[in-house]
Amino acid sequence: MPDTDAGGFQERFYTSSDGLTLYARDYQPAETATAGRLPVICLPGLTRNTRDFHPLALLLSRDITAPRRVIALDSRGRGNSAWDENKANYNLAIEAGDVVTACAALGVEQAIFIGTSRGGLILHLIAATRPDLLEAVILNDIGPVVETEGLARIRDYLNSDRRPDDWNAAADIVKENHCASFTALEEEDWREMALALYRDVGGRPVADFDPAIAEALKSVDLSRPLPDLWAQFDSLCRFPLMLIRGENTSLLSKETADEMARRHPNLILHAAEGQGHAPLLHRGGIPTAIRAFLASCR
């Protein structure tokens, strides 16, 4: 049985195909309230977790006119999901398989998916391998081409030696890493972001992911372009698609976004003003844009 959390969601645990215990937050309104509307499943970024989606999940699951069930997943090695002893399993194909397993375990036959950064890359693979699971897709600051400049920035701050001694220091570190690209954020936003990135271990903030995930970035050759996913993106073109792009992002170029729109003429593009990679989905006009997109879906 799921544990009930006072934060508006139930904690769900399920088992991957190779035996890892994985975690999800399930924001589930009364079945009568959803009126047959499909659920929304949220997939976080490289080292992020379900907490990134909490404010948005509350907004969508408690929407007055059209509430939906919202499920947010912790990928293996992140958040409350177990770490994998085989570090090679931190890859897109394995993690896409975990999403498929989650759908089966949580009784979801089809959903609208939101993928932030790496979560969006996973959705490229799912579109190519299990398109039956998808009704519509929202990509948050990600596309089939990942800019090496942006990935280098992520590699460098994830592998920094700085470790916060307290929560004020954690917020300061987050702000220093991101303030240049997140000009729209205020002081409270940095603390909120820190609470999503770190977990409390004996009163001290500790990054909430397996360090091996960040370590693996050191071995990626960023002197040349990374392999692209255009073939998989073309599989996404059969679905309603929304792309949220941070105004100051360094991971998703304007050229890639333009090409995505050319290949998917009905793509809805939303610019996240004053935000970098990856935009906070509960800020600015993003929730309104997401609600409008969802209104066109089952």
Side-chain angles (χ1 to χ4, degrees):
M1 292 293 291
D3 296 323
T4 300
D5 187 289
F9 58 87
Q10 294 176 317
E11 294 192 300
R12 306 274 189 172
F13 292 91
Y14 58 99
T15 305
S16 70
S17 61
D18 56 351
L20 280 186
T21 298
L22 303 180
Y23 172 85
R25 286 184 172 188
D26 192 348
Y27 301 76
Q28 193 164 5
E31 190 172 343
T32 54
T34 60
R37 284 181 289 273
L38 290 176
V40 175
I41 297 181
C42 303
L43 311 181
L46 176 65
T47 57
R48 308 299 283 256
N49 58 69
T50 57
R51 297 193 295 278
D52 275 343
F53 296 105
H54 182 64
L56 179 69
L58 290 178
L59 287 171
L60 299 181
S61 61
R62 296 175 176 178
D63 187 277
I64 295 174
T65 58
R68 289 180 186 267
R69 180 186 184 189
V70 180
I71 299 167
L73 305 181
D74 277 346
S75 299
R76 59 177 63 206
R78 292 85 158 177
N80 289 327
S81 287
W83 293 10
D84 199 322
E85 292 184 6
N86 181 359
K87 308 308 179 184
N89 284 341
Y90 296 132
N91 66 68
L92 292 177
I94 293 289
E95 290 167 23
D98 290 342
V99 174
V100 174
T101 298
C103 290
L106 300 174
V108 176
E109 296 182 356
Q110 194 173 40
I112 301 154
F113 284 81
I114 301 176
T116 292
S117 194
R118 186 179 182 89
L121 296 179
I122 290 171
L123 289 176
H124 281 67
L125 269 62
I126 291 176
T129 58
R130 284 295 308 273
D132 56 296
L133 290 175
L134 307 179
E135 159 70 15
V137 171
I138 299 173
L139 298 176
N140 184 19
D141 210 57
I142 196 66
V145 177
V146 175
E147 298 299 317
T148 55
E149 174 192 355
L151 192 57
R153 286 193 69 252
I154 294 171
R155 175 200 61 198
D156 292 345
Y157 68 67
L158 287 181
N159 286 287
S160 168
D161 291 332
R162 293 189 64 190
R163 301 290 185 267
D165 292 322
D166 56 37
W167 285 100
N168 288 332
D172 288 342
I173 290 172
V174 172
K175 182 177 180 179
E176 289 172 20
N177 286 336
H178 299 288
C179 63
S181 55
F182 283 84
T183 56
L185 300 195
E186 300 174 355
E187 288 304 317
E188 187 56 34
D189 295 311
W190 299 119
R191 182 169 179 81
E192 183 178 288
M193 193 182 293
L195 290 170
L197 282 165
Y198 296 90
R199 75 162 55 237
D200 189 290
V201 178
R204 183 171 182 171
V206 176
D208 201 8
F209 59 88
D210 186 340
I213 297 168
E215 181 71 23
L217 286 179
K218 294 180 180 179
S219 63
V220 179
D221 183 1
L222 299 180
S223 65
R224 52 177 128 182
L226 300 169
D228 66 61
L229 293 175
W230 282 118
Q232 291 80 2
F233 176 79
D234 288 340
S235 297
L236 280 171
C237 290
R238 74 186 80 173
F239 304 105
L241 182 63
M242 179 179 181
L243 174 63
I244 298 166
R245 180 174 181 268
E247 180 184 32
N248 304 317
T249 182
S250 59
L251 204 78
L252 175 63
S253 71
K254 183 179 183 302
E255 290 73 20
T256 296
D258 288 345
E259 177 62 13
M260 293 166 73
R262 188 191 70 79
R263 295 189 183 213
H264 193 311
N266 296 318
L267 180 145
I268 296 171
L269 177 61
H270 180 84
E273 296 181 1
Q275 296 208 62
H277 182 81
L280 306 182
L281 296 178
H282 58 284
R283 290 281 311 188
I286 298 177
T288 299
I290 289 177
R291 279 188 175 119
F293 180 78
L294 294 178
S296 68
C297 304
R298 289 197 293 130

